[in-house]
Amino acid sequence: RVLGRYDSTGFIYEYIPGWTLDQQPAIPDRFFSQLHELVRALHSRKVVYVDMNKRGNIIVGDDGKPHLIDFQISLYLPGILLGPLRKVFRHADVYHICKHKIRLSPHQATTRDRWVYRHRGLLIGLHRILTDPYRKVRRAIFRYLYSREILTYDKNACYSRENNPSRFLR
């Protein structure tokens, strides 16, 4: 639930008790079908989420239901002319739901989920082509900086999966 605005581009929303998919909580049987319904409701309003790849943006609420946070890069794509672009982003949203379902709850994955996962689409393929070299170089730089102790890892800090420097210490 949105509680108000923050500055000209932000929103303040109600705290959602639960766990992010990053924290690998127990996932209720209907969770992914409910997440798909939630995303379908966004899509029906011509909104694409775009950031579904980050498991930290998807919460399994204490009520067992899915909740989405971080709409920073979501897009409202109205009109007929933006239809093809909307379709590409919608596929990317659904692809990521299927990917998370296959990885976190493989026993629930359907044949269709596996088909969507294998046919990731133009946007996902292009994104990987463009970002894989960047990610590899970035990780190599961080490994070097941590191995030389130019950057240090605070074992007492609380890190998320995305910002945990221990992955560079291997």
Side-chain angles (χ1 to χ4, degrees):
R1 191 170 68 98
V2 176
L3 300 176
R5 293 191 61 111
Y6 179 80
D7 206 11
S8 63
T9 60
F11 294 96
I12 301 168
Y13 49 86
E14 189 173 40
Y15 175 76
I16 303 164
W19 305 91
T20 70
L21 289 185
D22 258 348
Q23 296 164 309
Q24 299 186 346
I27 298 173
D29 286 341
R30 289 205 14 86
F31 180 81
F32 284 105
S33 61
Q34 290 174 330
L35 178 59
H36 202 120
E37 291 169 24
L38 176 61
V39 170
R40 208 177 343 231
L42 284 175
H43 291 169
S44 73
R45 292 172 175 89
K46 300 186 178 174
V47 173
V48 289
Y49 185 70
V50 184
D51 216 7
M52 192 71 63
N53 62 314
K54 293 183 184 168
R55 293 187 307 203
N57 290 343
I58 305 168
I59 296 176
V60 179
D62 283 351
D63 57 3
K65 293 181 181 175
H67 302 271
L68 295 174
I69 59 171
D70 190 3
F71 285 78
Q72 183 177 355
I73 62 173
S74 297
L75 298 169
Y76 173 59
L77 299 172
I80 294 171
L81 293 177
L82 294 175
L85 185 60
R86 199 170 44 244
K87 184 177 179 181
V88 169
F89 279 111
R90 283 179 178 172
H91 180 78
D93 284 348
V94 173
Y95 163 83
H96 284 103
I97 293 171
C98 294
K99 177 184 74 171
H100 296 318
K101 186 176 184 180
I102 289 166
R103 291 183 180 174
L104 300 174
S105 259
H107 64 284
Q108 294 182 23
T110 65
T111 303
R112 184 181 184 286
D113 295 329
R114 294 183 203 297
W115 186 90
V116 169
Y117 181 68
R118 282 192 311 273
H119 298 87
R120 60 181 177 235
L122 177 65
L123 185 64
I124 304 293
L126 185 59
H127 181 267
R128 287 192 178 162
I129 289 168
L130 295 174
T131 60
D132 277 356
Y134 165 76
R135 188 180 67 248
K136 288 176 183 175
V137 169
R138 182 177 171 270
R139 287 182 180 172
I141 290 169
F142 276 123
R143 271 193 300 277
Y144 174 81
L145 293 173
Y146 280 109
S147 69
R148 300 287 189 269
E149 296 183 354
I150 296 167
L151 292 177
T152 57
Y153 170 65
D154 183 355
K155 292 179 183 174
N156 296 318
C158 183
Y159 296 105
S160 73
R161 181 177 163 271
E162 292 176 15
N163 71 358
N164 191 339
S166 68
R167 63 190 172 144
F168 303 115
L169 301 174
R170 298 177 195 145

